[in-house]
Amino acid sequence: MSRLRVAVVISGRGSNMLSLLDAMADPAFPAQPVLVAANLPDAGGLAAAAARGVPTACVDHRPFGADRTAFEQALSAEIEAAEADCVCLAGFMRKLTPWFVARWRDRALNIHPSLLPAFRGLDTHARALAAGVAVHGCTVHLLRDDLDDGPILGQAALAVRAGENADGLARRVLAIEHRLYPACLAAWACGARRVEGDRLTGAPIALFEG
Ligand code: GAR
């Protein structure tokens, strides 16, 4: 079995990245990690990935200033040098331009901490609580030009608890992110789910807490 070669791209602690590495440590998993890349040298996930023997790279976005495309070209060059087939954004906190989206079209996944299309952007948990939703969760989707938009590969949902605060809700959502992302990557990597245009073939993956 040939395993999809995956570059995971992070900005911070990388707990989703580690959940993907854990899943890919199984030789029967249809994908393997070839790179963990970050846009900040102090991203905690870089050391954690290196400790597991996964090649790492840092492309610091700051020297590029306002030239987002030049940063993305440098990041993409690292991903290409690792001969990755696919990019998993995992807590990558920079908006990507249409250049990167086109370069990795239908080969880049992202995880977002809300049930899209609700609550794109930041502070999703506080905004979900303020809106009084009963159900909240996370989404894995294909990357498209608009922020937190693109064909949905899978979603995981939980019931909001009475009196819950944003930190508690974030912790519970993160735990289901760690189940959802590997499940979506597995379905994607083995070809059980594909995109045609902007539609997923087959039903998106649905997980429920509990
Ligand atoms: C995760 O909750 C992820 O969904 C979110 O950042 C966190 C990263 O945590 N991503 C976004 O908000 C992207 N729009 P991690 O570094 O521990 O995986």
Side-chain angles (χ1 to χ4, degrees):
M1 176 187 71
S2 93
R3 303 172 78 196
L4 196 75
R5 296 171 61 86
V6 174
V8 188
V9 181
I10 64 172
S11 293
R13 69 191 158 184
S15 72
N16 274 292
M17 175 271 296
L18 289 173
S19 78
L20 293 174
L21 295 192
D22 283 347
M24 289 190 278
D26 179 351
F29 194 89
Q32 59 181 314
V34 295
L35 180 71
V36 171
N39 65 308
L40 289 168
D42 56 0
L46 280 178
R52 291 169 181 235
V54 178
T56 60
C58 180
V59 181
D60 191 334
H61 69 271
R62 292 168 296 189
F64 294 93
D67 193 346
R68 285 181 175 263
T69 306
F71 159 69
E72 291 171 9
Q73 286 169 341
L75 177 64
S76 196
E78 292 286 351
I79 298 168
E80 286 160 42
E83 298 182 7
D85 303 310
C86 164
V87 177
C88 286
L89 303 174
F92 181 69
M93 301 310 281
R94 288 188 68 75
K95 166 121 177 63
L96 290 159
T97 73
W99 182 86
F100 189 93
V101 177
R103 177 70 189 80
W104 293 96
R105 188 175 172 90
D106 293 344
R107 295 187 298 152
L109 311 183
N110 181 45
I111 187 159
H112 180 74
S114 77
L115 292 173
L116 292 173
F119 310 120
R120 295 186 167 113
L122 299 174
D123 299 324
T124 55
H125 309 300
R127 288 161 56 214
L129 289 173
V133 298
V135 177
H136 184 49
C138 52
T139 302
V140 172
H141 64 95
L142 274 289
L143 198 64
R144 288 293 186 266
D145 284 351
D146 289 337
L147 186 67
D148 302 325
D149 187 34
I152 290 172
L153 195 47
Q155 294 188 304
L158 50 70
V160 175
R161 292 176 180 160
E164 187 164 38
N165 65 24
D167 287 346
L169 187 55
R171 267 194 299 280
R172 292 202 301 127
V173 171
L174 191 64
I176 56 173
E177 290 184 45
H178 296 163
R179 288 168 47 213
L180 180 68
Y181 214 168
C184 289
L185 178 59
W188 182 254
C190 74
R193 300 291 190 287
R194 289 174 285 108
V195 278
E196 283 171 6
D198 273 331
R199 300 295 304 177
L200 196 71
T201 60
I205 290 154
L207 300 181
F208 302 91
E209 186 188 65

